[in-house]
Amino acid sequence: MRWIYLSPHLDDAVLSCGGWIWWQIQQGEIVEIWTVCAGDPPAGPLTPYAQSLHKRWQTGPEAVAVRRQEDQNACQRIGALPRYFPIPDCIYRYHPERGTPIVNGDDDLFQPSLPSSEHPWVDFLRVQLKALLSESDILVCPLALGGHIDHHLTRTAAETLALPWLWYYADFPYALRDCHKELRPTTTHRPLPLNLPPDALDAWIEAITCYRSQLSTFWPDLPTLKREILHYYQNCKDQILWMPSLPAR
């Protein structure tokens, strides 16, 4: 049996459940992290917004290559095998008919649902996933808490497969502000309470620090990151993972 975690970006699966993934691997499970939006930007100049993010990340024009290397380092720390899909991050994507950027600022990243113009990417991802998954795989996808376009894309594509063994994970750090609410993805899912040893929490934090380009987006310094992860685990560990009510295979 193989566990497949779908990560919208080059960090989301590790951010959200890196400690649990590390623990699974210590128990002999095979775990892979498949990053959906890991493709290179299209040819041509970047939008001003994308350029501003590259400047914040201090990556220059090689942002995607830098982030893939960061993800490989993080996956190595927790023992997971990475796989990358060619879909560009939404900051690089354009409307298929109008030819205009779908994201021009922070506010455009977050939507109540997936824009209809993005549905061709859902179809593309569904075909890719269907070709790679086997009947014995367990697929784990994000809940899309926070409403990020790429998280919506990932969850929507996973659900189109209609798998009876689809699991969900809460998207961190967006989940931190919502973990005291009812996060149940469907009425047929129930939470899997986590009970992780200290080594798992250490591995989780260390793996997150591998994403050097992204740390400043969420935390002012490493001590704040560590406190937030520990707070999240201690207060929200009963809502991080959701399993189908059908018996696990």
Side-chain angles (χ1 to χ4, degrees):
M1 187 171 64
R2 181 177 59 161
W3 290 79
I4 308 297
Y5 287 78
L6 291 184
S7 186
H9 303 114
L10 292 156
D11 60 6
D12 289 305
V14 172
L15 282 173
S16 301
C17 37
W20 169 249
I21 292 173
W22 179 89
W23 179 240
Q24 284 187 294
I25 292 168
Q26 303 312 301
Q27 304 307 303
E29 301 283 3
I30 300 172
V31 183
E32 298 185 11
I33 296 176
W34 294 1
T35 302
V36 172
C37 299
D40 293 320
L46 298 175
T47 66
Y49 180 63
Q51 292 180 50
S52 72
L53 290 181
H54 287 192
K55 183 177 181 180
R56 181 204 298 173
W57 300 339
Q58 300 181 19
T59 59
E62 301 301 318
V64 177
V66 170
R67 296 190 66 188
R68 281 195 292 254
Q69 183 60 58
E70 291 176 342
D71 186 67
Q72 290 171 21
N73 295 340
C75 287
Q76 184 178 32
R77 176 60 186 89
I78 59 175
L81 299 173
R83 181 188 289 270
Y84 304 117
F85 291 87
I87 300 175
D89 190 298
C90 67
I91 66 172
Y92 308 124
R93 298 202 297 271
Y94 289 80
H95 192 286
E97 297 174 358
R98 296 195 292 266
T100 54
I102 65 168
V103 174
N104 289 291
D106 290 345
D107 291 343
D108 295 336
L109 292 171
F110 306 100
Q111 304 290 336
S113 61
L114 186 69
S116 59
S117 62
E118 293 292 284
H119 287 177
W121 286 116
V122 172
D123 296 335
F124 174 84
L125 181 57
R126 176 181 55 79
V127 171
Q128 296 284 310
L129 294 174
K130 189 173 182 179
L132 293 168
L133 289 168
S134 69
E135 292 185 357
S136 61
D137 292 334
I138 298 293
L139 189 65
V140 191
C141 84
L143 284 169
L145 302 178
H148 193 291
I149 290 175
D150 291 332
H151 292 235
H152 280 310
L153 166 61
T154 303
R155 176 174 177 173
T156 303
E159 290 178 338
T160 62
L161 296 170
L163 303 176
W165 58 89
L166 180 64
W167 289 49
Y168 293 88
Y169 66 81
D171 319 54
F172 183 83
Y174 308 110
L176 186 59
R177 65 173 181 262
D178 294 326
C179 69
H180 296 298
K181 301 178 183 178
E182 175 57 68
L183 302 180
R184 184 184 298 272
T186 71
T187 56
T188 61
H189 280 74
R190 55 192 174 90
L192 175 69
L194 301 186
N195 186 20
L196 300 177
D199 286 352
L201 299 176
D202 290 342
W204 190 0
I205 293 167
E206 290 173 13
I208 292 175
T209 64
C210 293
Y211 299 107
R212 296 184 181 278
S213 68
Q214 304 302 302
L215 295 181
S216 64
T217 300
F218 302 112
W219 302 284
D221 50 47
L222 294 181
T224 302
L225 158 62
K226 183 175 182 178
R227 287 195 303 270
E228 195 163 287
I229 285 289
L230 294 177
H231 174 81
Y232 178 59
Y233 171 70
Q234 291 164 2
N235 291 275
C236 310
K237 61 184 178 181
D238 291 343
Q239 298 199 72
I240 292 177
L241 279 167
W242 293 84
M243 61 189 297
S245 295
L246 295 173
R249 296 170 307 131

